[in-house]
Amino acid sequence: MSHNLSRRDFNKLLLSGVAASAFGVLGSSTSAFAASSSKKVVVIGGGFGGASAAKYLRKLDPSISVTLVEPKTVFYTCPLSNWVLGGLKTMEDTAQNYTILRNKYKVNVITDSAVAVDAARSTVRLKSGQVLGFDRLILSPGIDFKWDAIEGYSESVANSKMPHAWQAGPQTILLHNQLLAMKSGGRVLICPPANPFRCAPGPYERASLIAGYLKAKKPNSKIIILDSKEKFAKQALFKKGWDRLYPGMIEWRSGATGGKILKVDAATMSVATDFGAEHGDVINIIPPQKAGKIAFDAGLTDASGWCPINPVSFESTIHPGIHIIGDASFAGAMPKSGFAASSQGKVAAAAIVRLFQGKVPAAPSLVNTCYSLLAPGYGISVAGVYKLTVEGIVEIKEAGGLTPIDADDDQLREEANFAQGWYNNITRDTWG
Amino acid sequence: MAVKLRVRLTAYALSFLALAAGSSAFAKERVTPKPARQESSSKGASNPRGEVLALSCSTCHGTDGKSVGIIPSINGRSAAYLEAALKAFKSGSRYSTVMSRHARGYSDDELRLIAEYYGTVSHNNK
Ligand SMILES: Cc1cc2nc3c(=O)[nH]c(=O)nc-3n(C[C@H](O)[C@H](O)[C@H](O)COP(=O)(O)OP(=O)(O)OC[C@H]3O[C@@H](n4cnc5c(N)ncnc54)[C@H](O)[C@@H]3O)c2cc1C
């Protein structure tokens, strides 16, 4: 990267929205810099991004009043939900709540949904009719599904016959119950979407842990992954693990070799591919995704279906004063993970504190580590460190990367232990 | 139009500052050598760049570096210890599963800022 940014680079920076927070500093377009004493921040969504942002705003500057809007009183995490499907954890082990955010961090947690954002007036309307004013707004609504992307698939099919289990809770329980009820020697189909989607290694961790359950309880069962992609996250590590742990049990088909699903038929429990129909006793469809609905309603998305942001503060390049973090944002090279969402929540919180003080936010570095468990004592990971450049958020080439393909059993065991250790710490770092 | 232009120019200047103030790729600024013992609060943070870098660590090492599980705590360690450890991970001279993959993403200055943050963060803030 050059010290002498060309005019073109500056233009790119401006386009990528770095200037948006500068507008906030100048107080030119929103109430964000009103010189009142107590600043108000409203956070929509109490998942990994939103809960982290709410907690860290209060921790970094207790003079800021923070309201968190989240309809659920118990949040079941997607991380560890594959462990539940494999019978290694219970739903209870994945349950988080808002008690500590409320009592210790004095976040005003409102159990409700946001239904409308008025960017011009800086207000949010809730389902109950309550209207909240804000100096700055943070949105972390997670994902929504493109229900019309796969013919025959719909929310009601997902809730009855072919769960996605890509938002944890009742969907996880439905898929788990179907696996428990399946006959020995049955066929499980897992159908992941094209990139980008929430948790790129998730479908393959899921296949691994379901295989672990089936190997122990329902031998001769098979898992077929019908993928829209030609390659997938941590592919070599997963394939090596599958050969070692579950030989012959997991078959992966790429998009070009019959993996791409064209439509589904819930009545016959089958999916259509270029290479013919496939029947499954259990069918897990993971549909293509987009930013959560409220982000669309608030006009914060672009043609990609995600929200463009300024990478210094995660402030919208469309509506200054509104920050979008987590899966709903388009964060350059960063993956859509709970780790990334939490990391972004803290960066946005620190930036907002600085902006309220009339100061320029410090340039962040952003990080991610995604652990996948293939079996108890067998873990792998991918890590990344991301930096802000004139191109937006880019991965630092010298850093990050995968568990070595020749990692010995001790290292795989250590990574499995760290997967659990990571879960324990991120959930405390996020929900208190 | 004139107003718009002025705002854009100021925005240019500020966006440059936002990068220059923080990114070692742009500026190798020195930091205050002896930061005061601090709560992890921006109000008292001696170096905002150090703070925003250091907040990433808590995702695995726990809030304020206090781990509740098998991952080592970094709270209570001295800045000197942490800086040496981070540099050893970066060079690969100290074994790790994932730490060297992270440490390689930072300049030595950035590692020192992170070490100073955890070396001075409150050790008894529950
Ligand atoms: C099977 C699986 C395994 C995974 N494993 C990992 C892992 O090991 N590591 C990892 O880092 N990531 C993992 N992930 C990814 C991780 O779950 C997501 O990336 C993360 O949840 C994104 O955080 P978020 O804040 O953007 O959204 P979420 O955590 O989904 O939170 C969004 C919240 O917003 C609320 N909301 C939505 N709309 C509104 C509204 N209008 N008003 C109020 N509230 C609203 C929702 O109720 C929800 O609680 C996994 C995902 C899956 C599916």
Side-chain angles (χ1 to χ4, degrees), chain A residues 45 47-49 70-72 75 78 114 140 142 166 198 327 337-339 422:
Chain A
F48 280 89
E70 165 61 52
K72 298 193 285 272
F75 181 94
C78 286
S140 192
W166 221 242
R198 157 177 286 185
D327 289 351
S337 73
F339 195 122
W422 167 78

Side-chain angles (χ1 to χ4, degrees), chain A residues 23 104 346 363 400 425 429, chain B residues 7 49 58 60 63 101 126:
Chain A
F23 288 122
K104 182 175 171 194
K346 288 184 270 188
N425 280 339
D429 197 34
Chain B
V7 172
R49 169 78 167 146
S58 63
C60 290
T63 303
R101 289 185 255 163
K126 281 204 293 172

Side-chain angles (χ1 to χ4, degrees), chain A residues 305-326:
Chain A
W306 309 102
C307 301
I309 46 95
N310 148 6
V312 176
S313 62
F314 284 78
E315 187 165 359
S316 168
T317 57
I318 298 173
H319 288 307
I322 302 180
H323 302 247
I324 303 106
I325 54 175

